[in-house]
Coordinates of all heavy atoms in Angstrom, one line a residue:
M1 N 0.8 -1.2 0.0 CA 0.0 0.0 0.0 C 0.9 1.2 0.0 O 1.9 1.3 0.7 CB -0.9 0.0 1.2 CG -1.8 1.2 1.3 SD -2.9 1.2 2.7 CE -4.1 0.0 2.3
A2 N 0.6 2.2 -0.9 CA 1.3 3.4 -1.0 C 1.1 4.3 0.3 O 0.0 4.4 0.8 CB 0.9 4.2 -2.2
R3 N 2.2 4.9 0.7 CA 2.1 5.8 1.8 C 1.9 7.2 1.3 O 2.6 7.7 0.5 CB 3.4 5.8 2.6 CG 3.3 6.6 3.8 CD 4.5 6.3 4.8 NE 4.2 7.2 5.9 CZ 5.2 7.7 6.7 NH1 6.4 7.4 6.4 NH2 4.9 8.4 7.7
I4 N 0.9 7.9 1.9 CA 0.5 9.3 1.5 C 1.3 10.2 2.5 O 1.1 10.1 3.7 CB -1.0 9.5 1.6 CG1 -1.7 8.5 0.6 CG2 -1.3 10.9 1.3 CD1 -3.2 8.5 0.7
P5 N 2.1 11.1 2.0 CA 2.8 12.0 2.9 C 1.8 13.0 3.5 O 0.9 13.4 2.9 CB 3.8 12.7 1.9 CG 3.2 12.6 0.6 CD 2.4 11.3 0.6
N6 N 2.1 13.4 4.7 CA 1.3 14.4 5.4 C 1.9 15.8 5.1 O 2.7 16.3 5.8 CB 1.4 14.1 6.9 CG 0.5 15.1 7.7 OD1 -0.1 16.0 7.1 ND2 0.3 14.8 9.0
V7 N 1.4 16.3 4.0 CA 1.9 17.6 3.6 C 1.5 18.8 4.5 O 2.1 19.8 4.5 CB 1.5 17.9 2.1 CG1 2.2 16.9 1.2 CG2 0.0 17.9 1.9
L8 N 0.4 18.6 5.2 CA -0.1 19.7 6.0 C 0.8 19.9 7.2 O 1.0 21.1 7.6 CB -1.5 19.5 6.5 CG -2.6 19.5 5.4 CD1 -4.0 19.2 5.9 CD2 -2.5 20.8 4.6
S9 N 1.4 18.9 7.8 CA 2.3 19.1 8.9 C 3.5 19.8 8.5 O 4.1 20.5 9.2 CB 2.5 17.8 9.6 OG 3.3 16.9 8.8
A10 N 4.0 19.5 7.3 CA 5.2 20.1 6.7 C 4.9 21.6 6.4 O 5.8 22.4 6.5 CB 5.7 19.4 5.5
A11 N 3.7 21.9 6.1 CA 3.4 23.3 5.7 C 3.0 24.2 6.9 O 3.1 25.4 6.9 CB 2.2 23.3 4.8
A12 N 2.7 23.6 8.0 CA 2.2 24.3 9.2 C 3.2 25.3 9.8 O 2.7 26.4 10.1 CB 1.7 23.3 10.2
P13 N 4.4 25.0 9.9 CA 5.3 25.9 10.6 C 5.3 27.3 10.0 O 5.2 28.3 10.7 CB 6.7 25.3 10.6 CG 6.4 23.8 10.6 CD 5.1 23.7 9.7
A14 N 5.4 27.4 8.7 CA 5.5 28.8 8.0 C 4.1 29.5 8.2 O 4.1 30.7 8.5 CB 5.8 28.6 6.6
A15 N 3.0 28.7 8.1 CA 1.7 29.3 8.3 C 1.5 29.8 9.7 O 1.0 30.9 9.9 CB 0.6 28.3 8.0
L16 N 2.0 29.1 10.7 CA 1.9 29.5 12.1 C 2.8 30.7 12.3 O 2.5 31.6 13.1 CB 2.3 28.4 13.0 CG 1.3 27.2 13.0 CD1 1.8 26.1 13.9 CD2 0.0 27.7 13.5
T17 N 4.0 30.7 11.7 CA 4.9 31.9 11.9 C 4.2 33.2 11.3 O 4.2 34.2 12.0 CB 6.2 31.7 11.2 OG1 6.8 30.5 11.7 CG2 7.2 32.8 11.4
A18 N 3.6 33.0 10.1 CA 3.0 34.2 9.5 C 1.8 34.6 10.4 O 1.5 35.8 10.6 CB 2.5 33.9 8.1
A19 N 1.0 33.6 10.8 CA -0.2 34.0 11.6 C 0.2 34.6 12.9 O -0.4 35.6 13.4 CB -1.0 32.7 11.9
G20 N 1.2 34.1 13.5 CA 1.8 34.7 14.8 C 2.2 36.1 14.6 O 2.0 37.0 15.5
G21 N 2.8 36.4 13.4 CA 3.2 37.8 13.1 C 2.1 38.8 13.0 O 2.1 39.9 13.5
L22 N 1.0 38.3 12.3 CA -0.1 39.2 12.1 C -0.9 39.4 13.4 O -1.2 40.6 13.8 CB -1.0 38.7 11.0 CG -0.4 38.7 9.6 CD1 -1.2 37.8 8.6 CD2 -0.4 40.2 9.1
V23 N -1.2 38.3 14.1 CA -2.0 38.5 15.3 C -1.1 39.1 16.4 O -1.5 40.0 17.1 CB -2.6 37.1 15.7 CG1 -3.2 37.2 17.1 CG2 -3.6 36.6 14.7
G24 N 0.1 38.5 16.5 CA 1.0 39.0 17.6 C 1.4 40.5 17.4 O 1.5 41.3 18.3
G25 N 1.6 40.9 16.1 CA 2.0 42.3 15.8 C 0.9 43.2 16.3 O 1.1 44.2 16.9
Y26 N -0.4 42.9 15.9 CA -1.5 43.7 16.3 C -1.6 43.7 17.8 O -1.8 44.8 18.4 CB -2.8 43.3 15.6 CG -3.9 44.2 16.1 CD1 -4.0 45.5 15.8 CD2 -4.9 43.6 16.9 CE1 -5.0 46.3 16.2 CE2 -5.9 44.4 17.4 CZ -6.0 45.7 17.1 OH -7.0 46.5 17.6
G27 N -1.6 42.6 18.4 CA -1.7 42.5 19.8 C -0.7 43.3 20.6 O -1.1 44.0 21.6
V28 N 0.5 43.2 20.2 CA 1.6 43.9 20.9 C 1.4 45.4 20.7 O 1.4 46.2 21.7 CB 3.0 43.5 20.4 CG1 4.1 44.5 20.8 CG2 3.3 42.1 20.8
A29 N 1.0 45.9 19.5 CA 0.8 47.3 19.3 C -0.4 47.8 20.1 O -0.4 48.8 20.7 CB 0.5 47.5 17.8
R30 N -1.4 47.0 20.1 CA -2.7 47.4 20.9 C -2.4 47.4 22.4 O -2.8 48.4 23.1 CB -3.8 46.4 20.5 CG -5.0 46.5 21.4 CD -6.2 46.9 20.5 NE -7.3 47.1 21.3 CZ -8.5 47.2 20.9 NH1 -8.7 47.1 19.6 NH2 -9.5 47.4 21.7
W31 N -1.8 46.4 22.9 CA -1.7 46.3 24.4 C -0.5 47.1 24.9 O -0.6 47.5 26.1 CB -1.5 44.8 24.8 CG -2.8 44.1 24.6 CD1 -4.1 44.6 24.9 CD2 -3.0 42.8 24.0 NE1 -5.0 43.6 24.6 CE2 -4.4 42.6 24.0 CE3 -2.2 41.9 23.5 CZ2 -4.9 41.4 23.5 CZ3 -2.7 40.7 23.0 CH2 -4.1 40.5 23.0
T32 N 0.5 47.5 24.1 CA 1.5 48.3 24.7 C 1.3 49.8 24.3 O 1.9 50.7 24.9 CB 2.9 47.9 24.1 OG1 2.9 48.1 22.7 CG2 3.3 46.5 24.4
G33 N 0.4 50.0 23.3 CA 0.2 51.4 22.8 C 1.4 51.9 22.0 O 1.4 53.1 21.6
R34 N 2.3 51.0 21.6 CA 3.4 51.4 20.8 C 3.4 50.6 19.5 O 3.7 49.5 19.4 CB 4.7 51.0 21.6 CG 4.7 51.6 23.0 CD 5.8 52.5 23.4 NE 6.9 52.7 22.5 CZ 8.2 52.6 22.9 NH1 8.5 52.1 24.0 NH2 9.1 52.9 22.0
R35 N 3.0 51.4 18.4 CA 2.9 50.8 17.1 C 4.2 50.2 16.6 O 4.2 49.2 15.9 CB 2.3 51.8 16.1 CG 0.9 52.2 16.5 CD 0.4 53.3 15.6 NE 0.1 52.7 14.3 CZ -0.3 53.4 13.2 NH1 -0.5 54.7 13.4 NH2 -0.5 52.9 12.1
E36 N 5.3 50.9 16.9 CA 6.6 50.4 16.4 C 7.0 49.0 17.0 O 7.6 48.2 16.3 CB 7.7 51.4 16.7 CG 8.0 51.6 18.2 CD 7.2 52.7 18.9 OE1 6.1 53.1 18.3 OE2 7.5 53.0 20.0
L37 N 6.5 48.7 18.2 CA 6.8 47.4 18.8 C 6.0 46.3 18.0 O 6.5 45.2 17.7 CB 6.5 47.3 20.3 CG 7.4 48.1 21.2 CD1 6.9 48.0 22.6 CD2 8.8 47.7 21.0
G38 N 4.7 46.6 17.7 CA 3.9 45.7 16.9 C 4.5 45.6 15.5 O 4.5 44.4 15.0
G39 N 5.0 46.6 15.0 CA 5.7 46.5 13.6 C 6.9 45.7 13.7 O 7.2 44.9 12.7
A40 N 7.6 45.7 14.8 CA 8.8 44.9 14.9 C 8.4 43.4 14.9 O 9.1 42.6 14.3 CB 9.6 45.3 16.2
V41 N 7.4 43.1 15.7 CA 6.9 41.7 15.7 C 6.4 41.3 14.3 O 6.8 40.2 13.9 CB 5.7 41.6 16.8 CG1 5.1 40.2 16.7 CG2 6.2 41.8 18.2
L42 N 5.7 42.1 13.7 CA 5.2 41.8 12.3 C 6.4 41.6 11.4 O 6.4 40.6 10.6 CB 4.4 43.0 11.8 CG 3.8 42.8 10.4 CD1 2.5 42.0 10.4 CD2 3.5 44.2 9.8
A43 N 7.4 42.4 11.4 CA 8.6 42.3 10.5 C 9.4 41.1 10.8 O 9.8 40.3 9.9 CB 9.4 43.6 10.7
V44 N 9.7 40.8 12.1 CA 10.5 39.6 12.4 C 9.8 38.3 12.0 O 10.4 37.4 11.4 CB 10.9 39.6 13.9 CG1 11.4 38.3 14.4 CG2 11.8 40.8 14.2
A45 N 8.5 38.2 12.3 CA 7.8 37.0 12.0 C 7.6 36.9 10.5 O 7.7 35.8 9.9 CB 6.4 37.0 12.6
G46 N 7.4 38.0 9.8 CA 7.4 38.0 8.3 C 8.7 37.5 7.7 O 8.7 36.8 6.7
A47 N 9.8 38.0 8.2 CA 11.1 37.6 7.7 C 11.3 36.1 8.0 O 11.8 35.3 7.1 CB 12.2 38.4 8.3
G48 N 10.9 35.6 9.1 CA 11.0 34.2 9.5 C 10.1 33.3 8.6 O 10.6 32.3 8.1
A49 N 8.9 33.8 8.3 CA 8.0 33.0 7.4 C 8.6 33.0 6.0 O 8.5 32.0 5.3 CB 6.6 33.6 7.5
A50 N 9.1 34.2 5.6 CA 9.6 34.2 4.2 C 10.8 33.3 4.0 O 10.9 32.6 3.0 CB 10.1 35.7 3.9
A51 N 11.6 33.2 5.1 CA 12.8 32.3 5.0 C 12.3 30.8 4.9 O 12.8 30.0 4.2 CB 13.7 32.5 6.2
Q52 N 11.2 30.5 5.7 CA 10.7 29.2 5.7 C 10.0 28.9 4.3 O 10.2 27.8 3.8 CB 9.6 29.0 6.8 CG 10.2 29.0 8.2 CD 9.1 29.0 9.2 OE1 8.2 29.9 9.2 NE2 9.1 28.0 10.1
W53 N 9.3 29.8 3.8 CA 8.7 29.6 2.5 C 9.7 29.4 1.4 O 9.6 28.6 0.5 CB 7.8 30.8 2.1 CG 6.6 31.0 2.9 CD1 5.8 30.0 3.4 CD2 6.0 32.2 3.4 NE1 4.7 30.5 4.1 CE2 4.8 31.8 4.1 CE3 6.3 33.5 3.2 CZ2 4.0 32.8 4.7 CZ3 5.4 34.5 3.8 CH2 4.3 34.1 4.5
Q54 N 10.8 30.2 1.4 CA 11.9 30.1 0.4 C 12.5 28.7 0.5 O 12.8 28.1 -0.5 CB 12.9 31.2 0.6 CG 13.7 31.5 -0.6 CD 14.9 30.5 -0.8 OE1 15.4 30.0 0.2 NE2 15.2 30.2 -2.0
R55 N 12.8 28.3 1.7 CA 13.5 27.0 1.9 C 12.6 25.9 1.5 O 13.1 24.9 0.8 CB 13.8 26.9 3.4 CG 15.2 26.4 3.7 CD 15.6 26.2 5.2 NE 14.6 26.5 6.2 CZ 14.5 27.7 6.8 NH1 15.3 28.7 6.6 NH2 13.5 27.8 7.8
R56 N 11.3 26.0 1.8 CA 10.4 24.9 1.5 C 9.9 24.9 0.1 O 9.7 23.8 -0.5 CB 9.2 25.0 2.5 CG 8.3 23.9 2.4 CD 8.8 22.7 3.1 NE 7.8 21.6 2.9 CZ 8.1 20.3 2.9 NH1 9.4 20.0 3.1 NH2 7.2 19.4 2.7
S57 N 9.6 26.1 -0.5 CA 8.9 26.1 -1.8 C 9.6 26.9 -2.9 O 9.1 27.0 -4.0 CB 7.5 26.7 -1.6 OG 6.8 25.9 -0.7
G58 N 10.7 27.6 -2.6 CA 11.4 28.3 -3.6 C 11.2 29.8 -3.5 O 10.3 30.3 -2.9
T59 N 11.9 30.5 -4.3 CA 11.9 32.0 -4.3 C 10.6 32.6 -4.8 O 10.1 33.5 -4.2 CB 13.1 32.6 -5.1 OG1 14.3 32.0 -4.5 CG2 13.1 34.1 -5.0
A60 N 10.1 32.0 -5.9 CA 8.8 32.6 -6.4 C 7.6 32.5 -5.5 O 6.9 33.4 -5.3 CB 8.5 31.9 -7.8
T61 N 7.5 31.3 -4.9 CA 6.4 31.1 -3.9 C 6.6 32.0 -2.7 O 5.7 32.6 -2.2 CB 6.3 29.6 -3.5 OG1 6.1 28.9 -4.7 CG2 5.2 29.4 -2.5
A62 N 7.9 32.1 -2.2 CA 8.2 32.9 -1.1 C 7.9 34.4 -1.3 O 7.3 35.1 -0.5 CB 9.6 32.8 -0.7
A63 N 8.2 34.8 -2.5 CA 7.9 36.2 -2.9 C 6.4 36.5 -3.0 O 5.9 37.5 -2.5 CB 8.6 36.6 -4.2
A64 N 5.7 35.5 -3.5 CA 4.2 35.7 -3.6 C 3.6 35.7 -2.2 O 2.7 36.5 -1.9 CB 3.6 34.6 -4.5
L65 N 4.0 34.8 -1.4 CA 3.4 34.7 0.0 C 3.8 35.9 0.8 O 3.0 36.4 1.6 CB 3.8 33.4 0.6 CG 3.1 32.2 0.0 CD1 3.7 30.9 0.6 CD2 1.6 32.2 0.3
T66 N 5.0 36.4 0.6 CA 5.5 37.6 1.4 C 4.7 38.8 0.9 O 4.3 39.6 1.8 CB 7.0 37.8 1.2 OG1 7.7 36.7 1.7 CG2 7.5 39.0 1.9
G67 N 4.4 38.9 -0.4 CA 3.6 40.0 -0.9 C 2.2 39.9 -0.3 O 1.6 40.9 0.1
L68 N 1.6 38.7 -0.2 CA 0.3 38.5 0.4 C 0.3 38.9 1.9 O -0.6 39.5 2.4 CB -0.1 37.1 0.2 CG -1.5 36.7 0.9 CD1 -2.6 37.5 0.2 CD2 -1.8 35.2 0.8
Y69 N 1.4 38.6 2.6 CA 1.5 38.9 4.0 C 1.5 40.4 4.2 O 0.8 40.9 5.0 CB 2.9 38.3 4.5 CG 3.2 38.5 6.0 CD1 2.6 37.7 6.9 CD2 4.1 39.5 6.4 CE1 3.0 37.9 8.3 CE2 4.4 39.7 7.7 CZ 3.8 38.9 8.7 OH 4.2 39.0 10.0
V70 N 2.3 41.1 3.4 CA 2.3 42.6 3.5 C 1.0 43.2 3.0 O 0.5 44.1 3.7 CB 3.5 43.1 2.6 CG1 3.4 44.7 2.5 CG2 4.8 42.7 3.2
A71 N 0.4 42.6 2.0 CA -1.0 43.1 1.5 C -2.0 42.9 2.6 O -2.9 43.7 2.8 CB -1.3 42.5 0.2
A72 N -1.9 41.8 3.3 CA -2.9 41.4 4.3 C -2.8 42.4 5.5 O -3.8 42.9 6.0 CB -2.7 40.0 4.8
F73 N -1.5 42.8 5.8 CA -1.3 43.8 6.9 C -2.0 45.1 6.4 O -2.7 45.7 7.2 CB 0.2 44.0 7.2 CG 0.5 45.2 8.0 CD1 0.1 45.3 9.3 CD2 1.1 46.3 7.4 CE1 0.4 46.4 10.0 CE2 1.4 47.4 8.1 CZ 1.0 47.5 9.4
G74 N -1.7 45.5 5.2 CA -2.2 46.8 4.7 C -3.7 46.7 4.6 O -4.4 47.7 4.9
G75 N -4.2 45.6 4.1 CA -5.7 45.5 3.9 C -6.5 45.4 5.1 O -7.7 45.7 5.2
S76 N -5.8 45.0 6.2 CA -6.6 44.8 7.5 C -7.0 46.2 8.0 O -8.0 46.3 8.7 CB -5.7 44.1 8.5 OG -4.6 44.9 9.0
H77 N -6.3 47.3 7.7 CA -6.7 48.6 8.2 C -8.0 49.1 7.6 O -8.9 49.4 8.4 CB -5.5 49.6 7.9 CG -4.3 49.3 8.7 ND1 -3.4 48.3 8.3 CD2 -3.9 49.8 9.9 CE1 -2.4 48.3 9.2 NE2 -2.7 49.1 10.2
P78 N -8.2 49.1 6.3 CA -9.6 49.5 5.9 C -10.6 48.5 6.2 O -11.8 48.9 6.5 CB -9.4 49.7 4.3 CG -8.2 49.0 4.0 CD -7.3 49.0 5.2
L79 N -10.3 47.2 6.2 CA -11.3 46.2 6.6 C -11.7 46.4 8.1 O -12.9 46.2 8.4 CB -10.7 44.8 6.4 CG -11.6 43.7 6.7 CD1 -12.8 43.7 5.8 CD2 -10.9 42.3 6.5
A80 N -10.8 46.9 8.9 CA -11.1 47.1 10.3 C -12.2 48.2 10.5 O -13.0 48.1 11.4 CB -9.9 47.5 11.1
K81 N -12.2 49.1 9.6 CA -13.3 50.2 9.7 C -14.6 49.6 9.4 O -15.6 50.2 9.8 CB -12.9 51.3 8.7 CG -11.7 52.1 9.1 CD -11.3 53.2 8.2 CE -10.1 53.8 8.6 NZ -9.7 54.9 7.8
K82 N -14.7 48.5 8.7 CA -16.0 47.9 8.3 C -16.4 46.8 9.3 O -17.6 46.8 9.7 CB -15.9 47.2 6.9 CG -15.4 48.1 5.8 CD -16.6 48.8 5.2 CE -16.1 49.5 4.0 NZ -16.9 50.7 3.7
I83 N -15.5 46.0 9.8 CA -15.9 44.9 10.7 C -15.3 44.9 12.1 O -15.6 44.0 12.9 CB -15.6 43.5 10.0 CG1 -14.1 43.3 9.8 CG2 -16.3 43.4 8.7 CD1 -13.7 41.9 9.3
G84 N -14.4 45.8 12.3 CA -13.7 45.9 13.6 C -12.3 45.4 13.5 O -11.9 44.7 12.6
A85 N -11.5 45.8 14.5 CA -10.1 45.5 14.5 C -9.7 44.1 14.6 O -9.0 43.5 13.7 CB -9.3 46.3 15.5
W86 N -10.1 43.4 15.7 CA -9.8 42.0 15.8 C -10.4 41.1 14.7 O -9.7 40.3 14.2 CB -10.2 41.5 17.2 CG -9.1 41.9 18.3 CD1 -9.3 42.7 19.3 CD2 -7.8 41.4 18.3 NE1 -8.1 42.8 20.0 CE2 -7.2 42.0 19.5 CE3 -7.0 40.5 17.6 CZ2 -5.9 41.7 19.8 CZ3 -5.7 40.2 18.0 CH2 -5.2 40.8 19.1
P87 N -11.7 41.3 14.4 CA -12.2 40.5 13.3 C -11.4 40.6 12.0 O -11.2 39.7 11.3 CB -13.6 40.9 13.1 CG -14.0 41.5 14.5 CD -12.7 42.1 15.0
S88 N -11.0 41.9 11.7 CA -10.2 42.1 10.5 C -8.8 41.4 10.6 O -8.4 40.8 9.6 CB -9.9 43.6 10.4 OG -9.0 43.9 9.4
V89 N -8.2 41.5 11.7 CA -6.9 40.8 11.9 C -7.1 39.3 11.7 O -6.3 38.6 11.0 CB -6.2 41.1 13.3 CG1 -5.0 40.2 13.6 CG2 -5.8 42.6 13.3
F90 N -8.1 38.7 12.3 CA -8.3 37.3 12.2 C -8.7 36.9 10.8 O -8.3 35.8 10.3 CB -9.4 36.8 13.2 CG -9.0 36.9 14.6 CD1 -9.8 37.4 15.6 CD2 -7.7 36.5 15.0 CE1 -9.4 37.4 16.9 CE2 -7.3 36.5 16.3 CZ -8.2 37.0 17.3
A91 N -9.4 37.7 10.1 CA -9.8 37.4 8.7 C -8.6 37.4 7.8 O -8.4 36.4 7.0 CB -10.8 38.5 8.2
V92 N -7.7 38.4 7.8 CA -6.6 38.4 7.0 C -5.6 37.4 7.4 O -4.9 36.8 6.5 CB -5.9 39.8 6.9 CG1 -6.9 40.9 6.3 CG2 -5.3 40.3 8.2
T93 N -5.5 37.1 8.7 CA -4.6 36.0 9.1 C -5.1 34.6 8.6 O -4.2 33.8 8.1 CB -4.6 35.9 10.7 OG1 -4.0 37.2 11.1 CG2 -3.7 34.8 11.2
G94 N -6.4 34.4 8.6 CA -6.9 33.2 8.0 C -6.5 33.0 6.5 O -6.2 31.9 6.1
V95 N -6.6 34.1 5.8 CA -6.3 34.1 4.4 C -4.8 33.8 4.2 O -4.5 32.9 3.3 CB -6.7 35.4 3.7 CG1 -6.1 35.5 2.3 CG2 -8.2 35.6 3.7
V96 N -4.0 34.4 4.9 CA -2.5 34.2 4.8 C -2.1 32.8 5.2 O -1.4 32.1 4.5 CB -1.7 35.2 5.6 CG1 -0.2 34.9 5.6 CG2 -1.9 36.6 5.0
A97 N -2.7 32.3 6.3 CA -2.4 30.9 6.8 C -2.9 29.9 5.8 O -2.1 28.9 5.5 CB -3.0 30.7 8.1
A98 N -4.0 30.1 5.2 CA -4.6 29.1 4.3 C -3.7 29.1 3.0 O -3.4 28.1 2.5 CB -6.0 29.4 3.9
A99 N -3.4 30.3 2.5 CA -2.6 30.4 1.3 C -1.2 29.8 1.5 O -0.7 29.1 0.6 CB -2.5 31.9 0.8
S100 N -0.6 30.0 2.7 CA 0.7 29.5 3.0 C 0.6 28.0 3.0 O 1.5 27.3 2.5 CB 1.1 30.0 4.4 OG 2.3 29.4 4.8
T101 N -0.4 27.4 3.7 CA -0.5 26.0 3.8 C -0.7 25.3 2.4 O 0.0 24.4 2.1 CB -1.7 25.6 4.7 OG1 -1.4 26.2 6.0 CG2 -1.9 24.1 4.8
V102 N -1.6 25.9 1.6 CA -1.8 25.4 0.3 C -0.6 25.5 -0.6 O -0.1 24.5 -1.3 CB -3.0 26.0 -0.4 CG1 -3.2 25.7 -1.9 CG2 -4.3 25.7 0.4
A103 N 0.0 26.7 -0.7 CA 1.1 26.9 -1.6 C 2.3 26.0 -1.1 O 3.0 25.5 -2.0 CB 1.5 28.4 -1.6
T104 N 2.6 25.9 0.1 CA 3.7 25.1 0.6 C 3.5 23.7 0.3 O 4.4 22.9 0.0 CB 3.9 25.4 2.1 OG1 4.1 26.8 2.3 CG2 5.2 24.7 2.6
A105 N 2.2 23.2 0.5 CA 1.9 21.8 0.2 C 2.0 21.5 -1.2 O 2.5 20.4 -1.6 CB 0.5 21.5 0.7
L106 N 1.6 22.4 -2.1 CA 1.6 22.1 -3.5 C 3.0 22.2 -4.1 O 3.4 21.5 -5.1 CB 0.7 23.1 -4.3 CG -0.8 23.0 -4.0 CD1 -1.6 24.0 -4.7 CD2 -1.2 21.6 -4.5
T107 N 3.8 23.2 -3.6 CA 5.2 23.4 -4.2 C 6.3 22.9 -3.3 O 7.5 23.0 -3.7 CB 5.4 24.9 -4.5 OG1 5.4 25.6 -3.2 CG2 4.4 25.4 -5.4
G108 N 5.9 22.3 -2.2 CA 7.0 21.9 -1.2 C 8.0 20.9 -1.8 O 7.7 20.0 -2.6
R109 N 9.2 21.1 -1.3 CA 10.2 20.1 -1.6 C 10.9 19.7 -0.4 O 10.8 20.4 0.7 CB 11.2 20.7 -2.6 CG 11.8 22.1 -2.1 CD 12.7 22.7 -3.2 NE 13.1 24.0 -2.7 CZ 13.4 25.0 -3.5 NH1 13.4 24.8 -4.8 NH2 13.7 26.1 -3.0
K110 N 11.6 18.7 -0.4 CA 12.2 18.2 0.8 C 13.3 19.1 1.3 O 14.1 19.6 0.4 CB 12.8 16.8 0.6 CG 11.7 15.8 0.4 CD 12.1 14.4 0.5 CE 11.0 13.5 0.2 NZ 11.0 12.3 0.8
A111 N 13.3 19.4 2.5 CA 14.3 20.4 3.1 C 15.7 19.8 3.1 O 15.9 18.6 3.1 CB 13.9 20.9 4.4

């Protein structure tokens, strides 16, 4: 019987890193009142996720997912005016995590 690889477990770390950056960045900015600290969390997690994406799926996928990460951060601001801050952060985080999981699973190569 053929063994089916568990591609979701391999894709999860980068998705979790990106999700942690978006949620954590907003949380730190909100709870400390210092936007630059939230931005630092967002940037560090984004760089970490980008490195994971590049290692796992190559430069093109990493660039696309990094662009989505940045666009999600930017897009969460106008979305927050419509649905609220936390719902907006969770919505864009879900999109980035799902895209990361799918893209990494589809293009993943052995590390």
Side-chain angles (χ1 to χ4, degrees):
M1 180 180 283
R3 183 168 182 211
I4 299 171
N6 185 354
V7 295
L8 293 181
S9 66
L16 291 175
T17 302
L22 290 164
V23 173
Y26 176 69
V28 166
R30 171 119 184 190
W31 290 317
T32 64
R34 308 235 359 232
R35 295 176 69 183
E36 65 275 11
L37 292 179
V41 170
L42 181 81
V44 168
Q52 290 173 306
W53 290 323
Q54 198 282 327
R55 226 178 4 261
R56 185 79 185 151
S57 302
T59 303
T61 300
L65 290 171
T66 301
L68 178 62
Y69 181 83
V70 172
F73 166 70
S76 69
H77 292 82
L79 183 60
K81 292 179 182 181
K82 303 275 187 208
I83 66 172
W86 277 112
S88 172
V89 170
F90 291 137
V92 301
T93 298
V95 170
V96 170
S100 173
T101 300
V102 169
T104 304
L106 292 176
T107 62
R109 55 184 174 206
K110 295 191 183 210

